[in-house]
């Protein structure tokens, strides 16, 4: 009877095992196991941001050093490569120890732990344990040991919200897994047993326990002949870095992540849905020191002066900025706003604020590019004389009457293009747009880098005054083309993208001569004058040769400074936005205690501080310009030499007469004295600048 009962039990157990094997299938991976973070890095490889709630980044086993793999085996399953997927004897021993009060033990192999992490869950139930048993057996027959070990290392929890060996390496030692030493790898293997308890940074009282476990791992490596005793004896406990709270998306991180996501999708590198599944390692072009310089410049020159208690309008002050290397097109820094968690929209990439007079240089570039002439046939160059009379109707335009106002209805009379650029005279540039052809002006702007889909980029005389709502980044790209002598390459925000160790192809750089060098360089020459003598003199604080242009949107809703040195193109915008829903645009009259906010003040000062610090230590370079014919500064004609005549004894000497040199008269209406840099010259309903000098009473112009 006993023998029969025993045989029956064996038969039933065998039948149960066979039935379990046949009935339990390998399920799809659970959502939490496959969900990964996308990791964003600065250009130098230092961490920038990590999105998603799960801190995990998978790496192939080839990127995990052999000694780190062996440390994990020494800690958890030393016979992994030689044993079967399950170890019934170990399971029975663990169950007995648990029942007898010797501590809870799993008795699971690495294969079983991987199954629990990847396919099932962490619940402690008999059903889950039974499924784990059968899935492990099936998996061991279908998948290689290396693949199972890789999966285990990528799904295990190491504490500090770090899932997987790569995330753990960054959390504890601020390095990639492939850079871990033997001692560091042994400590991370220690954490597999009790992640939170063995974090000696968070729980210094447990260091002795953690050290004991670390020694156990290293001794196991020596026993398995994976580590030489002499090397083991020289090792010291590798204290991990202090634990930090998850970085999240606060500050500038969220803006950068969103901009990169849009860049990847817009350039067909990774679509939005695929990127949302996570697991991508993205190295950006941003340089951390310059990113920090931008944040500091905005804080020092603008946000530190905000006083919401004294002035409600100060709560509407926002800023956006971007910097591009003209030679490579790489975005080196970006300022998106006060804080991504407080304002979702990125001020560097949004396209809803008028660019104002920062558009005027494109009109002049187009004039040179197309060899344009005035209505009476004179070539357009920096010295060409225009009529700067306020509300002067444009000539040659068949689309209807158009007579733009100058700032404060000021008339300048006859004025050179160079001086009109210094003072941002609307009457001159509206006429120039007609002389060139507003359709050609639009095309030149697109060639330089303004997207053709930019709102309000319309071919009409008003295009010169900046009603278009290009983004800060768009404008920076266009100015970078001017700085690069007319050679255009689309800006790049991403240096490298990979997933699971495989690189994702990126579009190659495509550069072209957008406009002639003469057109770009001659524009640079007049923009240098804006910084030296015009509305942008505050930019001189950068301490380098610079070219730039100020601009202001209608009703002081935005103020801009767009400028560049030979090495760096940067655009800064100060914007007015209601902090309450629906977050509409608001005028900045009276903000920061100033009657008006103009491009020559706060934006230019931010630009100057950032540029000065971003280029600190680099040699000062001057612009190397090739100008169009007639672009040089006009000089007074030389004095005629005195006539020489041999005297004769009989003749009365002819008196010597020194002719008066002919001097070009000062244009009528041109103001005398140097501008302060606080005066901006555009007003009106077409996106023209609406700035006045400091102290001028604000006046809303009719649209």
């Amino acid at each position: 009877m006993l023998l029969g009962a025993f045989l029956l039990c064996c038969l039933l157990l065998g039948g149960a095992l066979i039935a379990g094997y046949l009935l339990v299938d390998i399920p799809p991976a659970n959502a939490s196991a496959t969900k990964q973070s996308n990791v964003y890095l600065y250009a130098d490889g230092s961490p920038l941001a990590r999105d998603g709630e799960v801190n995990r980044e998978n790496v192939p086993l080839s990127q995990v050093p052999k000694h780190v793999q062996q440390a994990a085996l020494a800690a958890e399953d030393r016979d992994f490569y030689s044993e079967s997927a399950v170890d019934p004897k170990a399971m029975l021993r663990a169950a007995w120890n648990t029942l007898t009060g010797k501590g809870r033990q799993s008795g699971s192999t690495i294969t079983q732990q991987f199954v629990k992490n990847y396919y099932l869950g962490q619940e402690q139930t008999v059903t889950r344990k039974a499924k784990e048993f059968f899935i492990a057996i099936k998996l061991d027959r279908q998948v290689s040991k290396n693949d199972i070990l890789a999966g285990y290392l990528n799904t295990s929890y190491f504490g500090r919200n770090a899932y997987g060996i790569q995330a753990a390496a960054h959390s504890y030692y601020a390095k990639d897994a492939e850079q871990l030493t033997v001692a560091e790898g042994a400590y991370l293997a220690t954490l597999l047993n009790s992640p939170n308890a063995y974090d000696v940074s968070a729980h210094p009282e447990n260091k002795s326990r953690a050290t004991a476990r670390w020694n156990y791992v290293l001794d196991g490596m020596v026993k398995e002949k994976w580590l030489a005793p002499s090397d083991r004896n020289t090792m010291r406990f590798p204290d991990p870095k202090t634990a930090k709270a998850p970085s999240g998306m606060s500050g500038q991180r969220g803006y950068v992540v969103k901009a990169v996501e849009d860049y990847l999708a817009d350039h067909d590198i990774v679509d939005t849905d695929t990127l949302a599944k996570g697991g991508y390692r993205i190295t950006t072009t941003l340089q951390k020191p310059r990113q920090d310089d931008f944040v500091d410049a905005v804080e020092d020159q603008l946000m530190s002066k905000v006083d919401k208690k004294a002035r409600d309008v100060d709560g509407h002050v926002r800023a956006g900025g971007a910097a591009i290397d003209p030679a490579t097109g790489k975005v080196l820094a970006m300022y998106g706003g006060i804080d991504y968690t407080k304002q979702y929209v990125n001020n560097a990439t949004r396209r809803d604020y008028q660019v104002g007079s920062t558009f005027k240089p494109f009109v002049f570039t187009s004039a040179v590019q197309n060899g344009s002439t005035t209505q009476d046939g004179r070539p357009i160059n920096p010295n060409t004389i225009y009529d700067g009379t306020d509300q002067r109707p444009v000539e040659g335009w068949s689309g209807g009457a158009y007579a733009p106002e100058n700032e404060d209805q000021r008339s300048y009379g006859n004025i050179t293009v160079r001086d009109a650029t210094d003072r941002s005279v609307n009457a001159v540039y509206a006429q120039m747009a007609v002389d060139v052809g507003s359709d050609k002006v639009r095309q030149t702007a697109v060639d330089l880098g303004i997207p053709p889909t930019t709102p309000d980029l319309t071919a009409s005389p008003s295009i010169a005054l900046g009603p278009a709502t290009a983004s800060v980044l768009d404008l920076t790209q266009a100015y970078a083309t001017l700085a690069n002598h007319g050679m255009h390459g689309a800006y790049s925000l991403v240096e490298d993208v990979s997933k699971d160790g495989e690189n994702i192809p990126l579009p190659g750089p495509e550069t072209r001569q957008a406009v002639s060098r003469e057109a770009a360089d001659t524009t640079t020459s007049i923009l240098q004058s804006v910084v030296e003598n015009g509305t942008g003199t505050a930019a001189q604080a950068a301490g380098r040769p610079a070219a730039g242009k100020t601009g202001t949107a209608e009703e002081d809703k935005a103020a801009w400074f767009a400028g560049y040195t030979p090495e760096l193109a940067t655009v800064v915008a100060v914007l007015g936005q209601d902090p309450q829903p629906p977050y509409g645009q608001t005028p900045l009259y009276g903000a920061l205690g100033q009657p008006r906010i103009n491009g020559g003040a706060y934006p230019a000062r931010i630009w100057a501080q950032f540029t000065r610090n971003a280029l600190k230590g680099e040699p000062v370079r001057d612009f190397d310009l090739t100008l169009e014919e007639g672009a040089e500064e006009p000089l007074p004609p030389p004095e005629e030499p005195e006539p020489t005549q041999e005297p004769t004894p009989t003749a009365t000497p002819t008196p010597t007469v020194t002719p008066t040199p002919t001097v070009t008269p000062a244009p009528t209406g041109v103001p005398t004295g140097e501008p302060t840099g606080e005066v901006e010259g555009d007003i009106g309903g077409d996106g023209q600048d609406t700035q006045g000098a400091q102290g001028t009473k604000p006046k809303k112009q009719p649209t």
Side-chain angles (χ1 to χ4, degrees):
M1 289 176 64
L2 289 173
L3 179 62
F6 175 76
L7 293 175
L8 180 61
C9 288
C10 290
L11 183 63
L12 291 174
L13 180 61
L17 291 174
I18 294 172
Y21 184 85
L22 295 175
L23 292 175
V24 176
D25 294 323
I26 299 177
N30 63 61
S32 62
T34 57
K35 174 66 178 177
Q36 300 181 56
S37 297
N38 291 316
V39 179
Y40 298 82
L41 308 171
Y42 286 106
D44 63 0
S46 59
L48 192 161
R50 184 186 295 270
D51 68 358
E53 297 179 357
V54 177
N55 182 11
R56 174 187 287 122
E57 179 188 2
N58 289 347
V59 292
L61 195 62
S62 60
Q63 291 186 14
V64 181
K66 197 70 175 178
H67 56 259
V68 176
Q69 301 176 36
Q70 292 165 340
L73 297 178
E76 297 296 313
D77 192 354
R78 298 176 187 179
D79 298 321
F80 170 73
Y81 278 98
S82 59
E83 71 180 3
S84 61
V86 295
D87 186 351
K89 186 164 58 175
M91 294 173 66
L92 290 173
R93 182 176 63 249
W96 176 256
N97 288 336
T98 301
L99 291 173
T100 57
K102 294 182 179 180
R104 177 175 292 182
Q105 298 180 13
S106 70
S108 298
T109 65
I110 278 181
T111 303
Q112 288 174 276
Q113 293 182 55
F114 170 57
V115 168
K116 178 182 65 175
N117 293 338
Y118 191 72
Y119 295 105
L120 301 174
Q122 304 301 315
E123 64 272 17
Q124 298 292 329
T125 64
V126 174
T127 302
R128 195 273 296 165
K129 198 68 178 176
K131 288 182 178 180
E132 174 190 303
F133 180 90
F134 291 113
I135 293 172
I137 294 173
K138 281 192 172 184
L139 191 69
D140 193 50
R141 296 170 60 90
Q142 299 177 18
V143 179
S144 71
K145 291 285 189 179
N146 281 345
D147 288 342
I148 292 173
L149 181 59
Y152 172 73
L153 291 174
N154 281 317
T155 57
S156 295
Y157 182 61
F158 290 83
R160 296 191 182 184
N161 195 37
Y163 290 83
I165 189 67
Q166 176 77 339
H170 277 286
S171 294
Y172 289 88
Y173 294 109
K175 60 174 66 174
D176 288 332
E178 60 186 352
Q179 298 172 320
L180 291 169
T181 66
V182 176
E184 292 166 347
Y187 176 69
L188 295 184
T190 295
L191 295 170
L192 292 167
N193 183 261
S194 184
N196 293 322
Y198 290 157
D199 185 347
V200 297
S201 176
H203 300 283
E205 69 277 8
N206 291 337
K207 186 169 183 178
S208 59
R209 292 178 54 200
T211 303
R213 180 71 179 175
W214 176 75
N215 285 324
Y216 166 80
V217 173
L218 291 176
D219 291 340
M221 295 179 71
V222 172
K223 184 177 180 179
E224 295 296 327
K225 298 184 176 3
W226 295 333
L227 179 64
S230 58
D231 293 335
R232 162 74 182 91
N233 293 334
T234 61
M235 291 183 183
R236 298 292 179 267
F237 187 82
D239 288 309
K241 294 185 176 296
T242 304
K244 295 181 180 179
S247 58
M249 293 288 110
S250 61
Q252 299 301 306
R253 288 184 289 269
Y255 298 122
V256 173
V257 167
K258 187 65 172 69
V260 170
E261 289 177 353
D262 293 342
Y263 180 89
L264 293 175
D266 293 344
H267 291 79
D268 297 324
I269 300 170
V270 182
D271 65 75
T272 304
D273 291 340
T274 302
L275 189 66
K277 296 177 181 177
Y280 289 90
R281 183 182 179 88
I282 302 162
T283 302
T284 70
T285 59
L286 300 179
Q287 297 179 353
K288 190 177 189 308
R290 285 170 168 167
Q291 184 74 5
D292 293 342
D293 287 338
F294 221 134
V295 174
D296 291 344
V298 174
E299 176 62 27
D300 294 345
Q301 299 296 332
L302 181 70
M303 301 311 297
S304 63
K305 298 172 174 56
V306 167
D307 188 346
K308 299 178 184 178
K309 294 181 179 179
R311 298 172 295 272
D312 289 341
V313 69
D314 278 20
H316 299 199
V317 175
R318 300 289 185 269
I324 290 178
D325 179 351
T328 64
K330 294 179 181 179
V331 181
L332 305 182
M334 176 187 296
Y335 185 90
I338 52 173
D339 189 313
Y340 188 70
T341 62
K342 298 177 181 178
Q343 176 193 310
Y344 179 75
V345 180
N346 187 339
N347 292 334
T349 58
R350 66 190 304 168
R351 293 188 175 114
D352 56 348
Y353 281 86
Q354 297 172 337
V355 300
S357 283
T358 57
F359 196 92
K360 282 176 178 166
F362 307 152
V363 182
F364 179 77
T365 302
S366 189
V368 180
Q369 174 70 14
N370 292 287
S372 303
T373 61
T374 62
Q375 293 293 308
D376 56 3
R378 291 173 291 119
I380 299 176
N381 60 50
N383 304 310
T384 303
I385 301 293
Y386 269 90
D387 184 353
T389 301
D390 179 56
Q391 299 187 61
R392 172 187 175 276
V394 297
E395 299 176 2
W397 171 248
S398 59
Y402 184 62
E405 293 181 352
N406 294 332
E407 198 276 326
D408 285 343
Q409 295 83 48
R410 187 173 187 175
S411 289
Y412 293 89
N414 290 333
I415 186 172
T416 66
V417 169
R418 188 185 306 276
D419 288 340
T421 308
D422 288 350
R423 293 160 176 79
S424 207
V425 181
N426 289 341
V428 171
Y429 269 90
Q431 182 62 58
M432 191 188 301
V434 175
D435 295 344
V436 177
S438 54
D439 55 336
K440 294 179 180 178
V441 171
R442 183 186 188 280
Q443 185 58 52
T444 296
V446 171
D447 291 341
L448 290 171
I450 301 299
T453 56
T454 299
D456 295 323
L457 186 64
T458 55
S460 69
S462 66
I463 193 173
L465 279 55
T469 56
S471 73
V472 167
L473 194 53
D474 295 336
L475 202 60
T476 310
Q477 178 177 232
Y479 272 72
T481 304
L482 294 175
N484 199 29
H485 309 294
M487 185 68 71
H488 172 72
Y491 75 82
S492 61
L493 194 53
V494 173
E495 194 82 65
D496 181 79
V497 181
S498 64
K499 184 174 184 180
D500 298 332
E502 296 291 330
N503 287 331
I504 309 297
L506 298 178
E510 296 182 4
T511 58
R512 55 181 173 79
Q513 195 71 44
V515 297
S516 69
R517 175 163 184 158
E518 290 77 9
D521 286 1
T522 307
T523 302
T524 297
S525 73
I526 65 172
L527 295 184
Q528 283 184 282
S529 181
V530 172
V531 173
E532 293 167 0
N533 307 301
T535 58
T537 54
Q540 294 177 15
R544 290 177 177 264
K549 185 70 185 74
T550 56
T552 312
E554 184 181 2
E555 295 184 322
D556 276 18
K557 292 178 180 178
W560 301 72
F561 186 81
Y564 50 93
T565 67
E567 310 91 341
L568 192 63
T570 306
V571 173
V572 178
V574 175
L575 313 171
Q577 177 181 297
D578 192 332
Q580 302 299 324
Y583 309 109
Q585 297 181 19
T586 59
L588 288 175
Y589 298 131
L592 308 172
Q594 303 297 321
R596 313 283 290 271
I597 299 296
N598 56 67
Y602 296 103
R605 294 169 193 159
I606 294 170
W607 184 95
Q609 178 177 323
F610 167 72
T611 302
R612 181 178 66 251
N613 293 336
L615 298 178
K616 187 176 181 180
E618 295 190 16
V620 176
R621 289 172 50 195
D622 206 345
F623 290 102
D624 177 21
L625 303 180
T626 301
L627 306 182
E628 69 165 327
E629 185 178 352
E632 292 78 7
E633 287 276 11
L635 298 175
E639 294 184 356
E640 297 181 8
E642 294 183 2
T644 57
Q645 183 176 350
E646 289 289 322
T648 59
T650 57
T652 303
T654 304
T656 302
V657 179
T658 303
T660 302
T662 304
V663 180
T664 304
T668 304
V670 177
T672 59
E674 276 195 8
T676 64
E678 299 288 323
V679 180
E680 181 57 67
D682 298 340
I683 59 173
D686 295 298
Q688 304 94 314
D689 290 342
T690 54
Q691 309 243 99
Q694 295 288 355
T696 303
K697 182 179 179 180
K699 179 167 64 174
K700 179 179 178 181
Q701 300 299 324
T703 60

